[in-house]
Amino acid sequence: MVLGIFVVVMWVLIAIFTPQLAPYGPLEQNIPERLQEPGPGHLMGTDQLGRDVLSRVLYGSRISLPFSLLVIIVAFVLGTIVGAIAGYIGGIWDELMMRITEVFMAFPTIILAMAVAAALGPSLINAVIAMVVVWWPNYARVVRGLVIGTKKNEYVEAARAIGASDFRILARTILPNCVAPGIVMATVDIGNAILMFAGLSFLGLGAEPSTPEWGRMVSDGIDFFDQWWMSAFPGLAIFSLVVAFNFIGDGIRDLADPRMRRQR
Amino acid sequence: MPLYVYILRRLALMIPLLIGITLVSFLIANAIPGDPVAANLGQRAMSDPEIVEAFRREWGLDKPVVIQYITYLNNLLHGNLGRSIKSRRPVMDDLKSFLPATFELSTFAIVIGMVLGVAFGISSAVWRNTVLDFVVRLISILGVSTPVFWLALILLFIFYSRLHWLPGPGRLDVTVMPPPTFTGLYTLDSLLAGQWGTFLNALKHLILPGFVLASYTTGLIARVTRSSMLEVLGQEYVRTARSKGLHERVVIMRHALANALIPVVTVIGLSYGNLLSGAVLTETIFAWPGIGRYAFRASVSLDFPAIMGVSLLISLIFVATNLVVDVLYHLLDPRLRTG
């Protein structure tokens, strides 16, 4: 977990200080130096337009990291709102909303995301929208379950007895007791979000051409198969970030589960 | 509740779910700004209003959305999924011809994932906190963290491009004729036809995409097996078994494993459902003519009869594997059977 935090912090710092760290601009072309192997001048080589792969990988952190987080945050907020309302009101609304989440969950994630992203047209924001469409039902269901469990507590009844409004009860009394497991789940999901985001871009459904996005860079490298560095390094960047988030996620899950703590 | 009543009830519950699925895929296909006309006609054709008009009429795009949806449902009831705009063939035929390739690949991958994952998980739990446990945990976390498309490229580069040990993309070498079709599974069909050369070739072509697909599944299964096994090993009845003086191997294989595997079955089932529903990235990279690649192509060209057909098939597979998993659960866990 410590290693995971270290790697994530490193990538966050890279993302913040990219302009200072990167030896070249992400779009800076240098045709005479195209397709160079990794070496002293270009540590990760150059691509078909002579752009420095290292610089592009560094700039890529400014896309993959914030956009994947954005997906998780928006999906989490949306899912929490829907789930909390469904769980609190109950009855036919609850039933209806849960059937809707079931329909969304019956689609395998990548297929649905792909269809939405393709229909909206490829762009970073549309990829985010597509992924939110796929992701929110998970949180909605978890939060709903927690809200149903929490609203039976006596302190909720107490809040109602002193005349708190439904909104106040839900927002101030119930939800604070439900968010922790949701946050654990969201943290564990960040790695998967990065993977899927890169996957969509790889398929050409995320970042526009020439954007220094890691998944996109890997797919650009396919046409230059023997110039392995074009795909290998951006892929390694995705991999390192996802591994780091998964380490953190595992750590948090163990901490959140007292049984696991005892076993250690 | 007897098992068959449970199954019938679950089947009945699938009907509203399937209707919902058609509705969602229909909404995605229609209510969103993408224009299938622009996606499917060339620039020259687009500039001719008559061609555009004819295209709209041919695909029913000129009618109100509600009418389109009702027509679609009606056709669906008669087993007609419409005609793909791209391939110009009935979607049903397309799906029939792409499903076997996906089935073959995902079955191959799930077998690898199951064998490796369960073996890894058990050994890691039994020898907890040893070097072996550490290595297995590392492998499984790397397995769930690797971008498949990247792994696929690296393996292709090493084993195909550099070492020439394994063939490149596709189900067979270009020079090899596909075996006569019985099942559509090249390995099985070539065996049935007694074509050993074709069988070996098809098998070789399965190895790389199979392992790529299995990487995530193996990691996942290993993690679940490990944690479930650890939980069971801490139970009272395991202690009882040990204190009876049973051999450690008997304790693990007979007493612990049987119970530890119940959650593992769920994960295997769900992963299989996921794989069957088309491994879009892997199939695309390995030019594997399966459902995932079909779905990708349909999405990109906004070929909505195909998108809806493939979504429907995929969700059907998904829901069906869920059902099978739940039934297995009932059979494996005696507590649920009586309860």
Side-chain angles (χ1 to χ4, degrees):
Chain A
M1 184 166 169
V2 177
L3 184 71
I5 293 176
F6 175 75
V7 173
V8 170
V9 168
M10 193 193 77
W11 273 116
V12 170
L13 289 178
I14 289 177
I16 297 172
F17 296 110
T18 310
Q20 283 78 42
L21 288 169
Y24 300 89
L27 303 173
E28 202 178 311
Q29 299 184 10
N30 186 354
I31 303 288
E33 289 189 17
R34 64 197 290 270
L35 299 178
Q36 276 191 0
E37 276 190 45
H42 300 276
L43 289 177
M44 292 183 181
T46 59
D47 67 6
Q48 77 277 21
L49 297 171
R51 293 174 300 197
D52 181 48
V53 175
L54 172 65
S55 304
R56 286 173 67 76
V57 167
L58 294 180
Y59 271 97
S61 63
R62 301 189 135 194
I63 296 175
S64 299
L65 208 50
F67 279 95
S68 307
L69 287 176
L70 185 67
V71 169
I72 294 291
I73 292 169
V74 176
F76 179 69
V77 171
L78 190 68
T80 303
I81 293 173
V82 172
I85 294 177
Y88 187 74
I89 298 180
I92 187 148
W93 282 108
D94 181 28
E95 195 61 27
L96 187 70
M97 282 187 182
M98 287 306 108
R99 292 296 88 77
I100 293 174
T101 59
E102 256 166 41
V103 169
F104 277 96
M105 290 173 89
F107 283 95
T109 43
I110 183 101
I111 304 273
L112 183 56
M114 203 168 63
V116 175
L120 292 174
S123 83
L124 286 169
I125 279 299
N126 288 345
V128 170
I129 296 174
M131 285 176 63
V132 169
V133 168
V134 178
W135 231 289
W136 69 270
N138 296 315
Y139 301 120
R141 293 184 75 92
V142 170
V143 171
R144 167 189 173 264
L146 292 166
V147 167
I148 289 180
T150 313
K151 79 175 175 187
K152 294 193 191 92
N153 283 320
E154 280 173 7
Y155 57 79
V156 175
E157 212 168 307
R160 190 168 293 129
I162 58 171
S165 68
D166 279 341
F167 177 77
R168 196 183 162 82
I169 292 176
L170 189 55
R172 300 294 293 271
T173 314
I174 297 181
L175 271 186
N177 289 296
C178 302
V179 282
I183 290 177
V184 171
M185 192 176 157
T187 319
V188 175
D189 275 352
I190 296 176
N192 281 329
I194 297 173
L195 275 185
M196 190 194 273
F197 191 77
L200 282 178
S201 282
F202 176 85
L203 289 171
L205 296 171
E208 292 89 347
S210 90
T211 315
E213 197 283 333
W214 293 335
R216 182 92 214 182
M217 290 169 71
V218 174
S219 81
D220 287 344
I222 292 184
D223 298 331
F224 300 89
F225 203 65
D226 284 318
Q227 281 76 31
W228 54 271
W229 54 89
M230 280 179 60
S231 297
F233 291 117
L236 200 61
I238 306 173
F239 179 60
S240 67
L241 195 55
V242 177
V243 172
F245 271 115
N246 280 341
F247 273 131
I248 296 178
D250 270 17
I252 289 184
R253 195 160 34 191
D254 288 359
L255 286 178
D257 185 351
R259 279 178 313 174
M260 293 300 285
R261 225 181 309 167
R262 189 157 27 105
Q263 278 174 6
R264 296 196 126 210
Chain B
M1 180 170 34
L3 194 57
Y4 72 92
V5 177
Y6 174 76
I7 295 177
L8 284 179
R9 243 186 61 183
R10 287 287 303 266
L11 285 176
L13 281 176
M14 271 170 71
I15 296 170
L17 188 61
L18 285 176
I19 294 177
I21 287 163
T22 58
L23 198 60
V24 170
S25 44
F26 197 81
L27 285 179
I28 291 173
N30 284 277
I32 296 182
D35 183 5
V37 182
N40 283 283
L41 289 179
Q43 284 233 310
R44 273 236 317 267
M46 274 298 285
S47 60
D48 184 342
E50 253 175 57
I51 295 181
V52 172
E53 197 43 49
F55 182 86
R56 286 190 177 283
R57 210 175 313 118
E58 184 184 352
W59 298 104
L61 299 174
D62 55 344
K63 299 202 182 69
V65 177
V66 181
I67 307 280
Q68 285 182 41
Y69 181 61
I70 292 172
T71 318
Y72 183 80
L73 279 189
N74 188 34
N75 286 339
L76 192 64
L77 286 177
H78 298 94
N80 177 2
L81 287 171
R83 197 176 276 273
S84 156
I85 298 179
K86 193 91 188 160
S87 73
R88 308 207 146 256
R89 300 198 310 161
V91 173
M92 197 64 120
D93 292 359
D94 274 353
L95 294 179
K96 269 186 204 150
S97 67
F98 289 118
L99 192 56
T102 294
F103 183 71
E104 188 172 37
L105 180 59
S106 35
T107 307
F108 187 73
I110 198 74
V111 170
I112 299 176
M114 200 160 67
V115 172
L116 290 182
V118 171
F120 283 170
I122 293 175
S123 37
S124 150
V126 170
W127 289 287
R128 190 160 125 229
N129 293 335
T130 60
V131 179
L132 182 89
D133 180 26
F134 179 75
V135 171
V136 166
R137 287 169 73 186
L138 192 67
I139 291 177
S140 54
I141 209 163
L142 297 185
V144 295
S145 307
T146 315
V148 279
F149 52 91
W150 180 63
L151 183 65
L153 288 177
I154 290 181
L155 293 183
L156 271 175
F157 181 76
I158 298 175
F159 291 103
Y160 165 61
S161 175
R162 286 292 145 102
L163 297 175
H164 304 290
W165 286 0
L166 291 167
R171 291 179 82 187
L172 287 172
D173 285 352
V174 211
T175 48
V176 179
M177 285 285 288
T181 310
F182 297 112
T183 57
L185 311 178
Y186 283 2
T187 43
L188 198 60
D189 284 353
S190 55
L191 278 185
L192 288 174
Q195 301 171 337
W196 280 101
T198 314
F199 171 74
L200 282 179
N201 195 272
L203 196 62
K204 274 187 183 169
H205 275 265
L206 272 172
I207 293 177
L208 279 185
F211 270 91
V212 167
L213 265 189
S215 67
Y216 187 89
T217 320
T218 307
L220 194 67
I221 295 176
R223 296 174 72 161
V224 175
T225 310
R226 179 178 182 276
S227 66
S228 152
M229 195 72 186
L230 278 181
E231 190 160 344
V232 170
L233 284 177
Q235 299 281 328
E236 306 264 304
Y237 60 81
V238 171
R239 193 158 18 132
T240 311
R242 279 196 183 126
S243 62
K244 280 198 300 187
L246 290 181
H247 197 278
E248 185 65 18
R249 205 184 58 216
V250 179
V251 174
I252 288 168
M253 299 308 270
R254 294 284 299 274
H255 292 248
L257 194 57
N259 291 302
L261 281 185
I262 294 174
V264 178
V265 168
T266 317
V267 176
I268 293 176
L270 295 181
S271 308
Y272 192 38
N274 236 326
L275 292 179
L276 276 178
S277 55
V280 178
L281 292 161
T282 310
E283 287 186 359
T284 308
I285 295 174
F286 285 96
W288 199 263
I291 292 294
R293 199 166 73 126
Y294 184 66
F296 170 60
R297 293 184 158 187
S299 303
V300 173
S301 56
L302 298 182
D303 180 352
F304 55 61
I307 296 178
M308 290 178 65
V310 88
S311 314
L312 208 59
L313 172 75
I314 285 169
S315 1
L316 202 62
I317 294 175
F318 219 60
V319 177
T321 37
N322 270 336
L323 177 62
V324 173
V325 167
D326 285 349
V327 170
L328 273 180
Y329 223 94
H330 265 250
L331 293 175
L332 282 174
D333 193 340
R335 282 170 305 186
L336 286 177
R337 234 178 295 160
T338 50

